């Protein structure tokens, strides 16, 4: 029972270690949320949120956009990172420097001093939107962590093991939380339960999750 919610350093903005390579920085972004939202708005003005279709032909309930060198896309041919936004046929917007710096600061606090994110996926959840259990394995550099920002409505994050089947843990990710996922935990299965309806002052009836990744190659 001690494996979850071990507080390492209560003075350090509520940092909890969830697993061997995973750290949860509670409220890390709260003071920066307006600026983070402004950066997201500028990205989304150039590369609007869209609902991608899975290789299996299902439309995802989460709407997505990207910034940085490449963007994560899905269509009937598969999942991949690509330099061109298929909607605009132009490169993705650049990663806003302030966003990138915040992600690096969070990673550094969790022991990942060399984290240099090259891409950033922005997920937009409306009430009912969910993300099924999956692994993130489209990145070549699996030694780099993934840094995730949560904004707006809270969501139940589901954290599994190294296999699809087996026991899962549930944690509530709230506005301003940052989680750094790396090391042994990098390939754990995870997902997000259907978003509960609500209203948030900054995002309205929505949750936004931003993930920063270092593709490597
Ligand atoms: C755990 N996004 O974009 S972020 C995704 O809230 C994704 O939108 C979720 O899963 C969201 O791929 C969760 C947290 C996250 C990201 C990557 C992970 C958790 C992870 C990789 C390994 C283990
Ligand atoms: Fe994921």
């Amino acid at each position: 029972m001690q494996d979850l919610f071990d507080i390492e350093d209560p003075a350090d903005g509520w940092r909890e270690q969830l697993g061997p390579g995973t750290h949860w920085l509670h409220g890390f972004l709260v003071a920066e949320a307006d600026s983070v939202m402004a950066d997201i708005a500028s990205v989304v003005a150039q590369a609007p949120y869209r609902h991608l279709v899975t290789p299996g032909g299902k439309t995802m309930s989460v709407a997505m956009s990207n910034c940085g060198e490449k963007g994560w896309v899905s269509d009937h041919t598969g999942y991949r990172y690509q330099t061109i936004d298929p909607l605009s046929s132009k490169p993705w917007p650049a990663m806003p420097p302030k966003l990138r710096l915040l992600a690096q600061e969070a990673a550094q606090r969790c022991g990942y001093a060399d984290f240099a994110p090259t891409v950033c996926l922005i997920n937009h959840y409306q009430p009912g939107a969910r993300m099924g259990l999956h692994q993130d394995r489209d990145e070549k550099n699996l030694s780099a962590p993934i840094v995730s920002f949560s904004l707006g409505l809270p969501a139940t994050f589901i954290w599994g093991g190294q296999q699809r089947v087996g026991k899962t843990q549930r944690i509530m990710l709230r506005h301003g939380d940052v989680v750094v996922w790396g090391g042994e935990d990098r390939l754990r299965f995870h997902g997000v339960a259907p978003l509960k309806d609500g209203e948030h002052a900054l995002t309205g009836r929505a949750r936004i999750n931003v993930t920063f990744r270092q593709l490597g190659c």
Side-chain angles (χ1 to χ4, degrees), residues 12-24:
D12 189 15
W14 284 91
R15 186 179 65 181
E16 293 182 21
Q17 184 152 10
L18 291 176
T22 300
H23 302 260
W24 186 0

Side-chain angles (χ1 to χ4, degrees), residues 62 64 121 123 125 131 134 136 146 148 150 157 159 173 179 181 185-192 207 209 211 213:
V62 178
M64 297 177 172
L121 169 65
N123 294 332
Y125 293 75
M131 193 173 283
H134 68 279
D136 288 20
I146 293 176
S148 100
S150 288
F157 175 77
W159 210 36
L173 293 180
V179 189
W181 321 83
D185 298 318
R186 177 65 178 74
L187 286 178
R188 283 173 73 156
F189 279 87
H190 59 277
V192 178
R207 165 179 189 255
N209 179 267
T211 47
R213 301 146 195 266

Side-chain angles (χ1 to χ4, degrees), residues 9 14 26-27 29 38-39 41 44 57 66 90 93 96-97 103-104 106 130 137 147 175 178 190 194 209-210 212:
D9 183 358
W14 284 91
H26 291 259
L29 292 174
D39 279 343
V44 169
N66 293 277
K90 293 192 296 202
Q104 285 182 303
R130 59 185 287 276
R137 51 186 323 148
V147 173
H175 177 72
V178 174
H190 59 277
N209 179 267
V210 189
F212 299 86

Side-chain angles (χ1 to χ4, degrees), residues 200-217:
H200 190 279
L202 266 187
T203 61
R205 291 175 67 195
R207 165 179 189 255
I208 296 173
N209 179 267
V210 189
T211 47
F212 299 86
R213 301 146 195 266
Q214 186 171 344
L215 289 193
C217 306

Side-chain angles (χ1 to χ4, degrees), residues 52-55 64 66 70-86 92 119 121 137-140 215:
L52 298 172
V53 175
T54 66
M64 297 177 172
N66 293 277
K70 291 187 177 187
W72 186 86
V73 296
S74 174
D75 60 22
H76 68 282
T77 69
Y79 309 120
R80 65 193 170 276
Y81 283 96
Q82 64 176 44
T83 54
I84 298 296
D85 173 358
W92 297 98
V119 303
L121 169 65
R137 51 186 323 148
D138 298 329
E139 300 78 22
K140 289 193 180 83
L215 289 193

Side-chain angles (χ1 to χ4, degrees), residues 44-59:
V44 169
Q46 299 164 77
Y49 292 123
R50 78 292 306 265
H51 293 272
L52 298 172
V53 175
T54 66
K58 290 190 179 141
T59 301

